[in-house]
Amino acid sequence: MTDTAVTKAERRNARKAARAARTTFSPLVPRTHRQKELIDALDSSPTVFAVGPAGTGKTYIAARHALMRLERGQIDRIVITRPSISDPRHRLGFQPGGVEQKMKPWMVPIWDAFKKGTSAANLDKYVANKQIEVLPFEHMRGRTIENGVFLLDEAQNCTLRDLEMFVTRIGEGGQLILSGDPDQSDIQDSGLSTLAWIAEDHDLDADIVWFTEDDVVRSAAAAEWVKAFSIRRKNGIADTARTPPAYL
């Protein structure tokens, strides 16, 4: 190996080490009033609902906040889950590989959020130490979360019975976060909105942040689509197939 090759390899290794050891990451800054409301709720409440359309930052804020607490030593672990009940073609059993491989594609938004707050080396360490754990929803029964955060994503695909099981997992020092959009439920009997109203009706120690189409921050195009579908639902417009225009 030539000196030039060694030097080039050393430079590459140095860059990799620098990236792995990087400690300056983007701060968790709310972009909307409701994102600020969500952060305030996550700072103080043992149970937090983030309910509303896609693209509003619900899952991003929840994941970043949980990671921030883990990095500060305020909690011991983060457990991430989501229901696998969806369109039959998308269920876990239809995906290749073991549980981790099946869940990995669905966890991308959360991992992307984590990467904004810490290094890849830290994430690898947290996963190896089970300080960050990913579980299919059906594996949650019998679990107790103490001194940690349970983050339930896509909560709209849980029935009220499912959610009853989930919210009763909370132990001392635990926090539950439920994130979802009732308008994108893949099941007929979603319990997410009902559970939120139960918390309100019984004045439980829970905070509910209701996002709307006006809170979409993903992009202007995403906001337009969210508003279009919202208008159709509000006006009861049937989503039926139409024939193409006669001139086509």
Side-chain angles (χ1 to χ4, degrees), residues 47-155:
T47 302
V48 178
F49 292 79
V51 184
T56 51
K58 305 182 303 295
T59 299
Y60 176 84
I61 294 292
R64 284 292 309 272
H65 192 275
L67 178 66
M68 181 177 66
R69 295 185 65 199
L70 182 65
E71 296 253 278
R72 292 175 177 176
Q74 296 172 345
I75 56 173
D76 296 333
R77 61 178 177 144
I78 301 169
V79 178
I80 308 157
T81 188
R82 61 173 287 175
S84 58
I85 300 173
S86 60
D87 186 299
R89 294 167 297 176
H90 305 153
R91 288 181 184 170
L92 281 179
F94 288 80
Q95 307 299 328
V99 171
E100 289 187 5
Q101 285 70 33
K102 292 173 188 287
M103 295 290 289
K104 189 174 181 180
W106 288 348
M107 294 297 112
V108 169
I110 292 175
W111 291 120
D112 286 346
F114 284 161
K115 290 174 183 176
K116 295 288 183 68
T118 195
S119 66
N122 278 344
L123 283 178
D124 289 342
K125 179 188 69 175
Y126 292 144
V127 172
N129 294 340
K130 293 192 178 299
Q131 290 175 280
I132 294 179
E133 190 175 5
V134 178
L135 289 177
F137 187 80
E138 51 265 39
H139 293 187
M140 296 294 295
R141 191 173 297 278
R143 292 274 183 141
T144 300
I145 189 72
E146 294 180 337
N147 299 316
V149 170
F150 261 169
L151 172 54
L152 171 58
D153 196 27
E154 303 289 348

Side-chain angles (χ1 to χ4, degrees), residues 148-166:
V149 170
F150 261 169
L151 172 54
L152 171 58
D153 196 27
E154 303 289 348
Q156 76 275 3
N157 285 331
C158 293
T159 66
L160 186 60
R161 188 70 179 269
D162 292 331
L163 294 172
E164 179 184 358
M165 180 275 291
F166 178 75

Side-chain angles (χ1 to χ4, degrees), residues 21-42:
R22 186 161 55 104
T23 57
T24 302
F25 297 89
S26 60
L28 180 57
V29 178
R31 295 176 61 185
T32 66
H33 170 73
R34 284 199 172 85
Q35 285 191 1
K36 173 65 165 58
E37 188 180 344
L38 178 56
I39 292 173
D40 290 343
L42 293 168

